[in-house]
Amino acid sequence: MNTGSKAGFVPNQPAGKLAIALLCGTMLAGVPTAAFAQQASEEERAAAPEPAPQPQTNIIRTISVAGAERLEAQTILSYIKLRPGQEYTSVAADEALKDLGATELFSNFSIRNDGGNVVITVQENPVINRIVLEGNSRIKNDKILPEIKLSPRQIFTRSKVRADVARIIELYKRQGRFAATVEPKMVELAQNRVDIVFEITEGPKSKVRQINIIGNEKFSDGDLRSEMVTKQARFTRFFSSNTSYDPDRLAFDQQKLRLFYLSEGYADFRVVSAVAELTPDKRDFIITYVVEEGERYKFGDVEVESQIRDFDSDRMSANLPMKTGDWYNAKAVEDTVEQLTELAGTFGYAFANVDPQFDRNKDDLTMNVTYVLRQAPRVYVERVDVNGNTLTQDKVIRREFRIGEGDAFNSLQVQRSTARINSLGYFQENFEVNQVEGTQQDRIILEANVEERPTGELQLSAGFSSIESFILAASIRQRNFRGRGQTIGASVNYSRFSRSAQISFTEPYVFDRNISLGADIYRRDFNNFNRFTQDRSGSFEQATTGFSVRAGVPLTEYLSGIVSYTLNVDDVSLGSRFFQDIDFDGELDCAAGRFLCDAVGTRTSSILGLSLAYNTLNSRLRPTRGRNVTVGVEFAGLGGSVRYARLRGRGAQFWQVLPGWIFSLSAEGGIIESFENRDEPGRDNVRLTDRFFLGEPQFRGFDIRGVGPRVVRLNYLQNPDDPDGPPILETLEDFRASRSNGFAGDALGGRYYYLGRAELEIPLGTGARELGIRPSIFADIGALWGVTTPILEDNPNGIQTRNADGLLEFIELVPDPTPDNPDTMDELIITTNPIAADGTTENTPRIVPNSFFRDVFLGDTISPRISVGIGVNWNSPFGPFRIDFARVLKSAEGDDTKTFTFNVGTQF
């Protein structure tokens, strides 16, 4: 036994070889059998018949559309990529659904595959019948509807509705209404139609509650806020639109702040941030600016470097407005650039470019400025184009140009042409002549792109006078008749004491020559207000019938000469009650005042007038700058029955002191002297009807003919304390109080007058400007004087009664002294006017009102009358509207004051 053998089974070698051989033989015997079996299987398969192919369901055989009403099936299929013969997959179906959704034509859609027959089912979006806006009062329909995408007869889509909601909300945000909401609703109708209703809740206007400024040390918050357009909401700014929040205005205010600091020399100033925070209730905004002021600079070296040979650099540098050592001012730099550009344009360099170059020295805080005038060719006008005029003829516009085709360009002449076209009043405000490059480098085209506006005027005016009661006036005028620039008009005025009618015509260019011709035909009736009775009938009547013709010729660009001829027939009469048998001798005498009796009669005035007019206004309708001066003289006596010379002058100057702030000063005056010899006591050489009169509308704060000399007739009244005693004279205060019953004085006019006005037009916010509201404050000063003191009457005694026969009796009180009472009066009875007293026979004694009186002469003084007030011009829906409130600060005894006037008109 071998105990040293290793553990495990180890076969005997001869036996192992035998086992291996048996195993190999067995394997080899199986190989032919397996090969034979495989060969037999292949033969059997080849001999067996092939099975029928199974049908494939993922191939598209047909595509149809279901549910379409308005759209054709082929139109719908054109929107997708599926086609017959293609394989239908879920990916392809999803892609087709996306394509259908992208069209926004369907409210619902689906795809179904039925054994290769693909069916697309759609439900079309409805057609919009109408768009309805509800709840909008601040923004009208005509402002919203053009801004939204949806409109009648379009296909309804939800995306457009969402976009329109956002657009409407944006419109309200621009008005400062950030709390506005819009709820869209759809009302279904027959035939797949819908009404789209936008229910709008406008909400309150979001105001700017507070403006905070952080970082400012040189200027206070109040100083900086005053430079901004946006204002804090306060009670005093109730009518201002600048208290609402506007993102564009916020950006503009940043520029305003920067310009302010740059104008004060702070060249490094910058706005670090500007944040507007809306309060939780969406009613207010709080705006916060963070600024860095930086250091203040002075001007260093300032010079002009001209590359144009016609300009001397040293000479131009010496005339610059800023000097070395002055505080730096960016606004002055901009103004200088503009002035140099205009100067170059004056010499024909239309395309000259002035480039200011800055050299900042932070060490000594100076700013060197060099104005480089770039080289440019001299320019000539290639042509003048007139566009946009449909009614106005081209020649009406072209004849106002001061520069023509082929002329050397001149910026001053272009500005003058612009001013003359603006003065026509036929086109849009702030019209400008555009300058366009020509076909060559040295050519320029001037374009007058006009927008015509209504030139017809229909005006209705109304006022109230304590003397004349209601005053009505109407006029119609066409300032561009037939598009030829002619003016034709007619006017009618009516009040209780004045009536007038006038027809006028003016041709500015007779036979296309620079000569104007005009004519007027008129009739004017004037009744002086009542002095004696309470029926408000006049004390005298003046009827003027006449005509005038005038011709004007330009002497220079700004100076014109005008010659005129006027023929008037004046008929002055008194009421029948003023012609009485005063002396009971059977002859009728004038019982009125001497100053009225002298005016009675018919006279003819033949008047030749000459005048010079100097006009540099930039607009005749609404001037903002320029001057207008007119001096004229009239001679009456070339025939007719009246002889006098009258000199009159007036002038006005306008300045734009700040953007929108227009200040004007105007003055006028006159003198008239007669050639007739009428040197008699109480009689003036100049007739009553030829004198100057002053009051409304020239002098605000005073009534018609309310300034200057007048005769006031004070009545003798029965003494309430002693009815049987002597009458007492009423006071001037009692006279004024009695005017409501129809008592007044007679205006006599004057031979000399002066009148001055100062007015400042105040700009309002954007909203007020859009409404056309233009307020102003004014002050007027003037006087009228220079007539001979008339003969005045004083008749203190008189009592009226009726006797038993109903006859009117005047009881004149005459002295009848007694030893006990030297002041005793006796009665002298005179029976006159045998007319029954309306059936009554009462014999109640009373003082005769307005029959026993004393005339008082008042107001003949050179002392100035002064009034101040406010006025508002408004381009209302009814037409131009003007309101004036005036307060008289200084007047003379006898003047008639008036606080309120207004008038309204329209244009067509």
Side-chain angles (χ1 to χ4, degrees):
M1 177 177 183
N2 188 5
T3 59
S5 63
K6 295 182 179 178
F9 172 77
V10 178
N12 194 339
Q13 290 183 355
K17 291 181 179 180
L18 179 62
I20 294 171
L22 291 174
L23 178 63
C24 292
T26 303
M27 293 176 62
L28 292 175
V31 169
T33 304
F36 178 80
Q38 181 179 0
Q39 181 179 5
S41 176
E42 290 177 357
E43 291 177 355
E44 290 176 358
R45 286 196 300 267
E50 295 183 358
Q54 297 295 325
Q56 298 181 2
T57 60
N58 58 346
I59 301 301
I60 302 174
R61 292 189 299 173
T62 62
I63 302 177
S64 60
V65 177
E69 296 181 3
R70 296 184 307 272
L71 296 175
E72 297 289 338
Q74 292 300 323
T75 302
I76 297 175
L77 292 177
S78 67
Y79 295 136
I80 63 177
K81 298 177 182 178
L82 292 179
R83 295 292 182 269
Q86 295 180 352
E87 183 179 5
Y88 180 87
T89 64
S90 60
V91 175
D94 290 342
E95 186 68 24
L97 291 175
K98 291 179 180 179
D99 292 339
L100 290 175
T103 63
E104 296 188 342
L105 297 175
F106 312 105
S107 60
N108 194 10
F109 45 89
S110 63
I111 296 180
R112 184 180 75 254
N113 182 17
D114 187 7
N117 298 320
V118 177
V119 179
I120 300 175
T121 304
V122 298
Q123 182 178 352
E124 296 176 347
N125 275 330
V127 175
I128 298 174
N129 179 54
R130 59 174 180 160
I131 305 295
V132 180
L133 302 176
E134 294 182 354
N136 58 310
S137 59
R138 300 295 180 178
I139 304 181
K140 301 303 181 183
N141 290 5
D142 59 350
K143 300 295 183 181
I144 297 178
L145 293 176
E147 297 290 336
I148 62 179
K149 295 181 179 180
L150 292 178
S151 62
R153 294 182 298 277
Q154 282 189 350
I155 303 299
F156 167 82
T157 64
R158 297 184 182 276
S159 62
K160 289 183 179 180
V161 172
R162 289 192 296 268
D164 288 346
V165 168
R167 181 58 179 163
I168 295 173
I169 291 177
E170 180 63 26
L171 292 177
Y172 277 95
K173 285 183 177 180
R174 288 187 179 182
Q175 282 201 350
R177 299 182 182 275
F178 285 80
T181 60
V182 179
E183 182 69 25
K185 293 187 177 180
M186 182 174 66
V187 179
E188 296 183 359
L189 304 175
Q191 300 178 352
N192 200 22
R193 295 177 302 122
V194 293
D195 287 343
I196 304 300
V197 180
F198 291 101
E199 294 183 352
I200 301 173
T201 302
E202 296 179 318
K205 206 165 191 178
S206 300
K207 301 291 186 178
V208 177
R209 179 192 299 176
Q210 185 69 31
I211 299 177
N212 300 319
I213 305 174
I214 300 174
N216 55 310
E217 298 178 356
K218 306 299 182 181
F219 299 95
S220 67
D221 289 3
D223 293 335
L224 299 184
R225 291 191 192 109
S226 65
E227 297 295 324
M228 300 178 187
V229 177
T230 303
K231 302 298 181 183
Q232 297 179 132
R234 298 292 184 268
F235 177 76
T236 55
R237 300 192 180 105
F238 182 78
F239 293 103
S240 175
S241 63
N242 291 337
T243 57
S244 60
Y245 171 73
D246 187 339
D248 295 334
R249 193 183 296 143
L250 181 66
F252 182 68
D253 284 338
Q254 296 180 55
Q255 296 298 324
K256 293 275 289 182
L257 281 177
R258 186 172 184 274
L259 179 60
F260 171 73
Y261 270 94
L262 290 177
S263 300
E264 295 294 331
Y266 295 89
D268 295 330
F269 171 83
R270 71 188 186 98
V271 178
V272 178
S273 65
V275 179
E277 297 176 297
L278 186 62
T279 57
D281 59 2
K282 295 185 178 182
R283 297 181 64 91
D284 297 305
F285 274 90
I286 298 176
I287 300 176
T288 303
Y289 293 93
V290 179
V291 301
E292 288 183 3
E293 293 179 321
E295 299 293 338
R296 194 177 188 187
Y297 286 75
K298 291 185 177 181
F299 278 110
D301 296 331
V302 185
E303 60 183 4
V304 177
E305 180 184 318
S306 175
Q307 298 177 358
I308 301 178
R309 63 180 182 178
D310 292 341
F311 296 96
D312 188 292
S313 299
D314 295 336
R315 193 170 183 180
M316 296 176 69
S317 299
N319 292 324
L320 290 175
M322 64 282 297
K323 305 298 179 184
T324 301
D326 294 345
W327 289 112
Y328 174 72
N329 189 329
K331 182 65 167 57
V333 173
E334 292 181 4
D335 293 342
T336 303
V337 170
E338 183 177 350
Q339 293 169 6
L340 291 174
T341 304
E342 290 183 358
L343 178 64
T346 303
F347 286 88
Y349 297 94
F351 304 120
N353 179 31
V354 180
D355 181 18
Q357 298 182 353
F358 303 91
D359 181 15
R360 183 180 310 179
N361 190 332
K362 295 187 177 182
D363 295 332
D364 58 3
L365 298 178
T366 59
M367 182 77 72
N368 301 324
V369 183
T370 302
Y371 299 94
V372 180
L373 184 57
R374 302 294 183 187
Q375 179 66 43
R378 191 183 294 273
V379 177
Y380 297 87
V381 178
E382 180 175 343
R383 69 175 186 269
V384 177
D385 293 339
V386 177
N387 306 313
N389 53 313
T390 57
L391 172 66
T392 307
Q393 298 182 3
D394 272 16
K395 67 178 182 179
V396 174
I397 304 173
R398 291 181 179 275
R399 67 195 182 194
E400 301 301 330
F401 273 87
R402 302 296 94 183
I403 186 171
E405 297 174 350
D407 294 346
F409 178 82
N410 187 311
S411 60
L412 292 181
Q413 297 293 358
V414 174
Q415 292 176 10
R416 178 59 180 167
S417 302
T418 300
R420 290 180 65 93
I421 295 175
N422 271 322
S423 295
L424 294 176
Y426 305 159
F427 312 110
Q428 74 273 22
E429 293 185 8
N430 302 321
F431 162 83
E432 293 287 346
V433 175
N434 298 326
Q435 304 171 21
V436 182
E437 293 185 7
T439 56
Q440 300 180 19
Q441 187 178 7
D442 62 343
R443 296 290 185 267
I444 191 171
I445 299 173
L446 301 181
E447 290 185 347
N449 298 317
V450 300
E451 297 178 12
E452 292 182 321
R453 62 179 181 179
T455 54
E457 298 176 1
L458 174 62
Q459 293 197 359
L460 301 174
S461 301
F464 184 81
S465 167
S466 57
I467 298 175
E468 294 199 283
S469 187
F470 282 99
I471 305 169
L472 302 175
S475 66
I476 184 171
R477 184 173 66 152
Q478 174 56 258
R479 293 182 289 105
N480 190 15
F481 185 58
R482 299 187 300 168
R484 297 173 175 268
Q486 301 167 339
T487 300
I488 185 171
S491 63
V492 177
N493 297 272
Y494 178 83
S495 70
R496 187 165 294 189
F497 295 105
S498 63
R499 294 172 296 277
S500 66
Q502 178 172 319
I503 299 176
S504 60
F505 175 80
T506 301
E507 168 59 70
Y509 281 77
V510 179
F511 305 118
D512 292 331
R513 296 182 178 273
N514 201 2
I515 300 174
S516 63
L517 183 66
D520 301 295
I521 303 175
Y522 47 84
R523 169 65 183 247
R524 305 186 184 104
D525 292 344
F526 175 77
N527 288 355
N528 199 29
F529 39 80
N530 170 63
R531 297 189 312 159
F532 297 103
T533 66
Q534 298 188 29
D535 61 3
R536 296 192 65 83
S537 59
S539 58
F540 77 91
E541 297 180 0
Q542 176 185 347
T544 301
T545 306
F547 73 91
S548 67
V549 293
R550 58 193 177 278
V553 179
L555 304 179
T556 67
E557 176 60 28
Y558 303 102
L559 183 66
S560 299
I562 304 170
V563 60
S564 63
Y565 176 76
T566 303
L567 180 64
N568 288 334
V569 177
D570 295 310
D571 184 12
V572 179
S573 60
L574 297 174
S576 59
R577 65 181 179 280
F578 293 104
F579 291 91
Q580 302 174 6
D581 186 4
I582 299 176
D583 299 327
F584 307 106
D585 56 3
E587 296 184 3
L588 296 179
D589 296 321
C590 181
R594 179 68 174 273
F595 60 91
L596 292 180
C597 295
D598 289 342
V600 173
T602 301
R603 60 185 58 86
T604 302
S605 302
S606 179
I607 307 169
L608 178 65
L610 300 171
S611 62
L612 292 176
Y614 179 78
N615 190 333
T616 63
L617 298 179
N618 62 337
S619 173
R620 287 181 299 179
L621 301 180
R622 286 191 57 193
T624 59
R625 65 177 183 274
R627 180 179 303 145
N628 184 20
V629 179
T630 302
V631 178
V633 62
E634 294 177 337
F635 299 94
L638 301 177
S641 55
V642 178
R643 292 174 176 81
Y644 64 79
R646 176 160 45 200
L647 176 66
R648 182 180 297 178
R650 57 172 57 93
Q653 176 74 48
F654 293 83
W655 298 272
Q656 182 167 307
V657 292
L658 291 172
W661 296 75
I662 311 301
F663 180 67
S664 63
L665 288 175
S666 61
E668 61 178 280
I671 179 174
I672 182 171
E673 293 293 342
S674 175
F675 298 144
E676 300 179 28
N677 184 12
R678 305 178 68 200
D679 295 332
E680 300 179 17
R683 175 177 292 179
D684 198 292
N685 286 342
V686 180
R687 299 179 186 273
L688 173 68
T689 54
D690 297 328
R691 300 170 193 161
F692 298 113
F693 291 89
L694 194 59
E696 186 193 349
Q698 312 104 305
F699 203 159
R700 290 164 291 194
F702 293 88
D703 214 329
I704 298 174
R705 299 192 174 192
V707 178
R710 69 188 57 249
V711 171
V712 175
R713 181 159 288 186
L714 303 179
N715 296 313
Y716 283 97
L717 306 175
Q718 194 168 16
N719 191 337
D721 299 329
D722 186 8
D724 296 329
I728 59 175
L729 184 66
E730 70 174 333
T731 64
L732 190 60
E733 289 73 17
D734 293 335
F735 166 78
R736 290 184 181 278
S738 67
R739 290 184 60 180
S740 59
N741 294 327
F743 297 95
D746 286 313
L748 304 185
R751 292 193 295 174
Y752 318 105
Y753 87 98
Y754 66 85
L755 178 63
R757 307 181 189 92
E759 189 160 5
L760 177 64
E761 184 176 314
I762 303 172
L764 295 180
T766 305
R769 286 199 304 270
E770 291 176 354
L771 292 175
I773 298 177
R774 294 180 291 111
S776 63
I777 57 176
F778 61 83
D780 294 351
I781 181 172
L784 177 72
W785 76 100
V787 297
T788 302
T789 302
I791 296 177
L792 304 175
E793 300 183 41
D794 188 1
N795 188 2
N797 300 324
I799 297 178
Q800 173 184 287
T801 185
R802 293 190 181 276
N803 59 23
D805 298 326
L807 300 180
L808 183 65
E809 292 183 345
F810 284 92
I811 304 175
E812 185 176 355
L813 302 179
V814 298
D816 184 18
T818 63
D820 297 333
N821 188 355
D823 296 328
T824 301
M825 304 292 289
D826 197 4
E827 298 180 354
L828 176 61
I829 299 176
I830 306 172
T831 301
T832 60
N833 195 11
I835 301 175
D838 300 329
T840 180
T841 57
E842 294 182 359
N843 294 316
T844 305
R846 63 184 181 89
I847 298 293
V848 182
N850 304 306
S851 295
F852 298 90
F853 51 81
R854 175 183 293 176
D855 286 339
V856 180
F857 182 55
L858 302 170
D860 188 25
T861 174
I862 195 176
S863 177
R865 284 76 155 173
I866 303 174
S867 67
V868 296
I870 59 174
V872 177
N873 281 305
W874 175 32
N875 293 332
S876 71
F878 310 101
F881 190 85
R882 173 78 187 190
I883 301 176
D884 286 304
F885 293 90
R887 177 180 177 83
V888 176
L889 300 182
K890 184 179 180 182
S891 62
E893 195 174 41
D895 289 342
D896 291 325
T897 61
K898 184 177 183 180
T899 302
F900 169 77
T901 57
F902 75 93
N903 62 74
V904 64
T906 188
Q907 293 187 337
F908 63 93

